[in-house]
Amino acid sequence: MTEIETTLSDIKLFIESLKTEMPEVFSKDAPAQDVSGKVLYMGGLYDAVVNAEPDCTPSVKLEDGRIIITIKDENADAGQMAEDWLRAQAETILKERTAAWAKKMGVEFNSIYIKDQRTMWGSCSDKKNINYSYRIVKMPSVIMDYLIVHELAHLVHMNHAEQYWTLVAAHCPDYDKHRKWLSGNRAHIMADTKIKYSKPAAEITNEQN
């Protein structure tokens, strides 16, 4: 992802925070009744569309630029379903990208664990195990790659001394900008996805008649 794309992601996050704090200013942008909430994924904010189908198999998928969540029960926690989907994506994406970066850096790790960590983005143990918060998958790919490089560099230097940062800079020259991005966007990334099912206008009208 280019620096321009990362900047656009910053702007999107800022606008969404304003919509929460000043809803009267953005009232014209209110979503349709069948769209409730947003899902943050790979640096993009996607409209979440929740469909209730009693005979369906519950699912979450990215389709046509939207996150489609299909539930059986109107009371199902669509937000948690979205988070579960993000965690599944993280299992694949973070493991694949870590393996690719490890090859580039000439380092070897033991295992990768995807967890629901809220106090740190990731960690590297002396047993060469890498731990990640699945919430990293909400970030733009360039920030995600910095965090991967950050943890893999600990396979060489288990500290944050000058040699460590020199190694990080060799593979991620803009790491300082990425660290600032993480600081400024932490609340958005760590926040749980909040999505509620809203009945289509036609159903509401039929119930009232």
Side-chain angles (χ1 to χ4, degrees), residues 77-147:
D77 190 340
Q80 185 58 54
M81 287 179 63
E83 290 292 327
D84 292 342
W85 178 82
L86 288 168
R87 184 163 187 162
Q89 300 305 303
E91 286 279 351
T92 299
I93 294 170
L94 288 171
K95 289 181 178 180
E96 288 180 350
R97 294 177 90 97
T98 299
W101 273 107
K103 186 175 181 179
K104 290 180 184 178
M105 296 172 68
V107 297
E108 295 183 358
F109 59 86
N110 184 19
S111 298
I112 296 175
Y113 298 98
I114 309 300
K115 302 180 178 181
D116 186 6
Q117 299 179 152
R118 293 175 182 264
T119 57
M120 61 178 67
W121 302 118
S123 62
C124 176
S125 73
D126 56 7
K127 294 182 179 180
K128 296 188 176 183
N129 293 326
I130 307 293
N131 301 299
Y132 293 120
S133 168
Y134 80 86
R135 296 165 190 272
I136 290 173
V137 80
K138 299 180 182 183
M139 303 174 182
S141 57
V142 67
I143 308 297
M144 186 187 306
D145 284 343
Y146 156 64
L147 287 172

Side-chain angles (χ1 to χ4, degrees), residues 37 50 72 81 97 102 108 130 136 166-167 170 172 183 188 197:
V50 184
K72 299 183 76 168
M81 287 179 63
R97 294 177 90 97
E108 295 183 358
I130 307 293
I136 290 173
T166 298
L167 178 58
C172 189
S183 178
H188 292 289
Y197 171 74

Side-chain angles (χ1 to χ4, degrees), residues 36-39 48-52 58-60 67-86 118 134-135 192-198:
S36 177
K38 302 275 186 177
V39 176
V49 179
V50 184
N51 299 316
S59 64
V60 180
I67 300 293
I68 310 298
I69 303 174
T70 304
I71 59 177
K72 299 183 76 168
D73 184 343
E74 294 178 7
N75 297 315
D77 190 340
Q80 185 58 54
M81 287 179 63
E83 290 292 327
D84 292 342
W85 178 82
L86 288 168
R118 293 175 182 264
Y134 80 86
R135 296 165 190 272
D192 291 329
T193 302
K194 302 296 184 182
I195 301 172
K196 291 183 179 180
Y197 171 74
S198 295

